[in-house]
Amino acid sequence: MGCFFSRRRKPAQGGQQQPQGAGQDAAAGEQKAPQYSWDLRAKIDPKDYTFSGLKNETVGRLPGKVAGQQFVIQDCEDCKIYIFDHSATITIDDCVNCQIFLGPIKGSVFFRDCKDCKCVVACQQFRTRDCRKLEVFLCCATQPIIESSTGMKFGCFQYYYPELALQFKDAGLSIFNNTWSNIHDFTPVSGENNWGLLPETAVVQDYVPLPSCEELKAVRVSTDAAKSIIPITRGQRQKNSDESCLAVFFAGDYTTANARKLIDEMTSKGFQLVQTKEVSMNAEDAHRVFQQSALEFITLLEKGPVVALEFNGDGAVEQCQSTINEVFSGTKVFVSESKASASQDVDNFYNFADMQMGM
């Protein structure tokens, strides 16, 4: 298998240098041409942001080499493709039997006329058209859309390398906003299902292996679910219990760390993380979601977005309350007060959050 690693080519230098002093007399009376800010920008070569017409190759971009630019992947077959950086948008056209990793995408990723591909993708918007048999470990901030596509399978994004957290931030994506399993089929067929979920036991590395190319090995990748930058959620899978619990952390220096700590504590005890959300709230939202407890939290909403977690399992409310009291005693956290109110808490918050995010 071929393996190459693209570097930007140095721009060709112009003509020979003029002898010192040449032309000074002619230029003495002339005014210099104005220089504008856009003249000083580095020239973008589209070839540096394109993989096209490749077959049986391993190719990629290291962190910092895409830096928010648009990227195009087209007409590739039997390739392994790794974009270890954030980008603006990515289009993937006419690719067959490829294994693809795409780092955080600020806008949309659009697969067209692709088949038999396995992918790991993080994006704001996900869409496919005229695709067949794509298996995708997905993080998507909005509802993923498939159109005229069949045999689609989805799992929760699971991936880590040291630069990934900052790339999510640069792409404007929250690690807590992931609607990976809430698929909208734009062209459903009566009596058929064009998409489904990957097995819960699916391992990312079995679908998109770590790169074998020496240059790309420099990225310290882990596909261990426990190290994933994105919390692993059940999404639309059937819940194991009729008892869920809502916990909401308010903005502060340790919001993300606290949320992750609670996830670790609860999942280690056998409870399942169903969904997560990061969203801004105002006083009216607080009354709608927290109801009689709203006044206690309104002033905290001015500091920034909240992070909400839904846990499921028998005894989830009691265990969540106990963990918060023991581990987060100095932190203000909203948590469902009882099993009877928990389901309503969950519905109130996620209905509000979905409306806020236009879903």
Side-chain angles (χ1 to χ4, degrees):
M1 175 181 290
C3 178
F4 69 84
F5 181 71
S6 300
R7 298 180 175 86
R8 291 191 182 183
R9 289 170 292 188
K10 294 182 179 179
Q13 295 184 350
Q16 296 180 348
Q17 185 177 354
Q18 287 187 344
Q20 186 174 1
Q24 289 181 351
D25 292 339
E30 296 181 9
Q31 199 172 23
K32 288 186 178 180
Q35 193 172 41
Y36 300 100
S37 60
W38 53 83
D39 292 325
L40 303 176
R41 294 174 185 168
K43 302 301 182 183
I44 299 298
D45 186 347
K47 292 180 181 179
D48 289 337
Y49 306 96
T50 301
F51 290 138
S52 180
L54 305 179
K55 187 170 183 179
N56 199 33
E57 300 279 0
T58 296
V59 296
R61 289 289 186 272
L62 289 173
K65 296 302 182 181
V66 178
Q69 297 294 326
Q70 297 180 0
F71 211 97
V72 174
I73 302 170
Q74 60 189 14
D75 300 309
C76 294
E77 184 176 354
D78 299 323
C79 289
K80 293 180 173 63
I81 299 170
Y82 305 87
I83 307 297
F84 291 128
D85 204 0
H86 70 102
S87 57
T89 62
I90 296 184
T91 55
I92 302 97
D93 293 324
D94 300 290
C95 289
V96 178
N97 195 35
C98 290
Q99 297 163 314
I100 303 171
F101 172 83
L102 302 178
I105 303 163
K106 185 173 185 177
S108 64
V109 59
F110 200 176
F111 288 81
R112 297 176 293 200
D113 299 288
C114 296
K115 64 180 181 179
D116 299 315
C117 291
K118 297 175 173 60
C119 313
V120 181
V121 179
C123 59
Q124 175 74 21
Q125 298 175 327
F126 177 92
R127 187 172 179 182
T128 71
R129 189 177 67 202
D130 299 315
C131 292
R132 180 165 60 86
K133 291 184 66 177
L134 265 60
E135 296 174 315
V136 185
F137 290 87
L138 179 63
C139 174
C140 186
T142 57
Q143 186 174 31
I145 294 175
I146 64 172
E147 179 181 358
S148 302
S149 299
T150 61
M152 311 291 289
K153 295 291 181 68
F154 295 91
C156 184
F157 182 102
Q158 303 170 37
Y159 220 77
Y160 169 83
Y161 53 87
E163 298 86 354
L164 190 53
L166 182 58
Q167 292 173 4
F168 264 86
K169 184 177 180 180
D170 288 340
L173 300 179
S174 168
I175 63 172
F176 296 108
N177 290 334
N178 185 9
T179 62
W180 67 270
S181 64
N182 187 20
I183 311 299
H184 175 66
D185 187 350
F186 199 72
T187 52
V189 177
S190 179
E192 297 183 15
N193 193 358
N194 293 322
W195 67 274
L197 302 182
L198 291 168
E200 289 187 67
T201 55
V203 177
V204 169
Q205 199 165 327
D206 293 340
Y207 292 77
V208 181
L210 300 183
S212 58
C213 186
E214 284 301 321
E215 291 87 349
L216 296 173
K217 282 183 179 180
V219 182
R220 292 178 290 159
V221 172
S222 173
T223 57
D224 182 352
K227 296 182 179 179
S228 176
I229 189 73
I230 298 294
I232 310 303
T233 56
R234 284 188 67 77
Q236 300 292 315
R237 299 187 193 279
Q238 185 174 354
K239 297 177 181 178
N240 291 342
S241 169
D242 62 357
E243 181 177 349
S244 286
C245 180
L246 178 70
V248 180
F249 287 90
F250 298 88
D253 294 336
Y254 305 104
T255 304
T256 297
N258 287 340
R260 283 192 170 280
K261 178 64 174 176
L262 183 59
I263 292 171
D264 290 343
E265 292 283 340
M266 292 293 287
T267 55
S268 70
K269 294 177 173 65
F271 296 96
Q272 295 181 320
L273 181 64
V274 178
Q275 57 182 330
T276 66
K277 195 73 73 176
E278 183 172 12
V279 64
S280 296
M281 300 180 71
N282 57 32
E284 182 181 348
D285 302 326
H287 284 288
R288 184 186 314 158
V289 174
F290 304 133
Q291 299 185 24
Q292 64 268 24
S293 303
L295 292 177
E296 184 180 352
F297 302 109
I298 285 177
T299 57
L300 300 176
L301 301 178
E302 299 173 358
K303 298 180 179 180
V306 302
V307 172
L309 315 171
E310 178 191 352
F311 297 100
N312 181 260
D314 294 340
V317 173
E318 182 180 355
Q319 183 59 59
C320 196
Q321 290 175 343
S322 175
T323 301
I324 286 173
N325 289 335
E326 293 173 7
V327 182
F328 305 98
S329 57
T331 302
K332 202 75 169 177
V333 185
F334 172 86
V335 62
S336 297
E337 292 184 358
S338 66
K339 179 179 176 180
S341 66
S343 294
Q344 190 62 52
D345 291 338
V346 170
D347 289 343
N348 286 344
F349 183 87
Y350 285 100
N351 287 339
F352 145 75
D354 287 344
M355 289 179 59
Q356 284 287 92
M357 303 183 73
M359 292 192 295

